[in-house]
Amino acid sequence: MAGPKLEIFKFGVYIFTPVMFMVYFGAPEFYDKHVRGSRFYPAPEQVNTRTGIDRKELLYEVERLKRERLARQAAREGLTDDKNV
């Protein structure tokens, strides 16, 4: 085998390589240059974040969906009762 000097060198590489990657890629300069400058998403002023639905419309839609679900459930129970008789 190679000896303790090689093992100490390998240990240093194994320990310091991830540390150096974290120092380089975690630096604010790297973030400013490579991450903040990229245009993955549209600018905030171009994005429409308003859906146009207020609370009353949302509650009305939830109630409508609940009524439809209960109507389907009642129809299913009515059909299953007729088949069992």
Side-chain angles (χ1 to χ4, degrees), residues 8-85:
I8 291 173
F9 174 75
K10 286 180 4 183
F11 178 76
V13 169
Y14 294 155
I15 294 297
F16 289 115
T17 301
V19 170
M20 294 313 293
F21 276 112
M22 287 189 293
V23 168
Y24 177 72
F25 291 112
E29 296 84 18
F30 180 85
Y31 179 79
D32 289 337
K33 183 178 178 183
H34 296 286
V35 178
R36 191 174 291 180
S38 61
R39 299 287 179 231
F40 293 118
Y41 302 103
E45 55 271 359
Q46 293 177 346
V47 178
N48 183 11
T49 57
R50 296 285 303 168
T51 58
I53 298 175
D54 62 349
R55 181 171 164 72
K56 289 180 184 179
E57 291 176 14
L58 186 63
L59 290 175
Y60 175 76
E61 187 67 23
V62 168
E63 289 298 322
R64 183 184 67 79
L65 291 172
K66 190 183 295 185
R67 284 193 306 270
E68 287 179 4
R69 181 176 46 87
L70 290 175
R72 283 194 310 268
Q73 183 179 4
R76 246 191 339 257
E77 288 175 358
L79 290 175
T80 56
D81 290 342
D82 292 341
K83 290 180 181 178
N84 291 333
V85 173

